[in-house]
């Protein structure tokens, strides 16, 4: 999705054991935790016009508009198919809701979490805890920043949050690709396993509540530009 970004200031690591630098040295940067808290407080006070939402992604507040027609079409196809697949279970597909991990907040295009979500709502009621999320899906929008956000920054962020499955549907990778990322390592912020297929090739979700759900041409449409 396309995003307008408010960058956090660059941080210099501070050695708290260092002696007083004295009056002739420049001011030291505040610790990372202080910047994270400042971003969190700023995010909570944002008032956005209808059709926009804000996230905290790797030290930035990103404001994103509603997706284009193609983007919305894929997300809606996927949600309808997931609802049918999950119908007999205790998980459902969510849209337009905050996923909270520590002092960060995400609004995935789609995610799977328990239908009975009472115990997973954050204390302030701002969203669901990332720990209950089984799968997230992002559909990439055009533009360098949007592409980098979903392919790089969100990939690290969801792995850091321990989300078991991250699905990336990417119109802008060749003729279109679907990437399924699993086995997150939160400490390293990476996914250890990756399956990547072109549009027109079916790929199944290997783990979690959506295990066995197939993403294929019925959801993505045919290969782009083929």
């Amino acid at each position: 999705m396309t995003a307008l970004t408010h960058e956090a200031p660059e941080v210099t690591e501070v050695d708290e054991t260092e002696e007083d630098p004295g009056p002739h040295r420049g001011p030291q940067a505040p610790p990372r935790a202080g910047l994270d808290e400042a971003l969190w407080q700023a995010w909570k006070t944002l008032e956005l016009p209808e059709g926009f939402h804000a996230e905290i992604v790797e030290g930035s507040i990103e404001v994103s508009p509603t997706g284009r027609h193609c983007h919305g079409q894929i997300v809606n196809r996927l949600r309808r198919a997931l609802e049918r697949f999950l119908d007999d279970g205790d998980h459902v597909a969510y849209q337009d809701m905050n996923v909270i991990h520590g002092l960060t907040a995400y609004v995935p295009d789609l995610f799977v979490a328990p239908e009975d979500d009472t115990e997973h709502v954050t204390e302030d009621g701002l969203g669901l805890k990332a720990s209950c999320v089984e799968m997230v899906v992002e559909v990439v929008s055009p533009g360098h920043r949007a592409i980098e956000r979903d392919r790089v920054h969100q990939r690290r962020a969801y792995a850091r949050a321990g989300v078991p499955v991250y699905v990336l549907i990417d119109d802008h990778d060749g003729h279109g690709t679907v990437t399924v990322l699993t086995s997150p390592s939160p400490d390293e912020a990476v996914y250890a396993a990756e399956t990547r297929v072109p549009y027109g090739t079916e790929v199944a979700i290997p783990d979690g509540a959506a295990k066995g759900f197939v993403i294929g041409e019925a959801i993505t449409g045919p290969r782009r530009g083929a």
Side-chain angles (χ1 to χ4, degrees):
M1 59 184 72
T2 306
L4 305 176
T5 308
H6 172 71
E7 299 287 352
E10 185 177 350
V11 180
T12 302
E13 294 295 331
V14 178
D15 183 356
E16 296 182 352
T17 64
E18 186 177 359
E19 296 181 358
D20 186 342
H24 302 297
R25 293 180 60 181
Q28 293 177 308
R32 176 76 250 179
L35 293 174
D36 289 342
E37 178 66 28
L39 281 172
W40 177 253
Q41 295 300 330
W43 175 80
K44 291 199 295 184
T45 61
L46 285 175
E47 295 185 8
L48 300 174
E50 185 176 351
F52 288 81
H53 65 257
E55 302 173 276
I56 303 174
V57 181
E58 295 203 321
S60 299
I61 295 178
E62 298 192 359
V63 179
S64 303
T66 301
R68 300 184 181 189
H69 172 264
C70 181
H71 178 281
Q73 187 180 53
I74 291 175
V75 173
N76 286 324
R77 286 175 183 164
L78 183 62
R79 177 166 185 171
R80 290 194 297 268
L82 264 173
E83 286 174 341
R84 292 192 295 269
F85 183 85
L86 297 169
D87 188 50
D88 294 331
D90 55 6
H91 286 70
V92 294
Y94 288 86
Q95 283 179 282
D96 300 322
M97 188 181 295
N98 296 319
V99 172
I100 309 296
H101 176 63
L103 297 179
T104 57
Y106 316 107
V107 186
D109 287 326
L110 195 72
F111 68 94
V112 174
E115 183 173 20
D116 183 3
D117 60 7
T118 305
E119 66 179 284
H120 305 295
V121 178
T122 58
E123 292 183 4
D124 51 19
L126 289 173
L128 292 182
K129 300 172 185 175
S131 58
C132 79
V133 174
E134 293 276 338
M135 180 175 81
V136 293
V137 181
E138 298 285 5
V139 179
V140 180
S141 292
H144 173 75
R145 183 175 292 278
I147 290 171
E148 182 180 36
R149 172 186 177 277
D150 289 333
R151 290 181 186 171
V152 180
H153 301 298
Q154 288 288 48
R155 177 171 177 157
R156 288 197 296 254
Y158 291 138
R160 192 177 291 116
V163 175
V165 181
Y166 177 28
V167 177
L168 190 64
I169 299 177
D170 194 342
D171 271 3
H172 312 286
D173 183 7
H175 297 298
T177 62
V178 178
T179 302
V180 178
L181 298 153
T182 56
S183 301
S185 175
D187 290 341
E188 299 175 288
V190 298
Y191 282 96
E194 173 178 336
T195 301
R196 181 170 170 270
V197 301
Y199 282 8
T201 301
E202 293 186 344
V203 60
I205 304 302
D207 300 308
K211 182 178 180 179
F213 177 74
V214 174
I215 301 174
E217 187 172 329
I219 291 172
T220 64
R223 296 180 67 191
R224 300 291 189 260

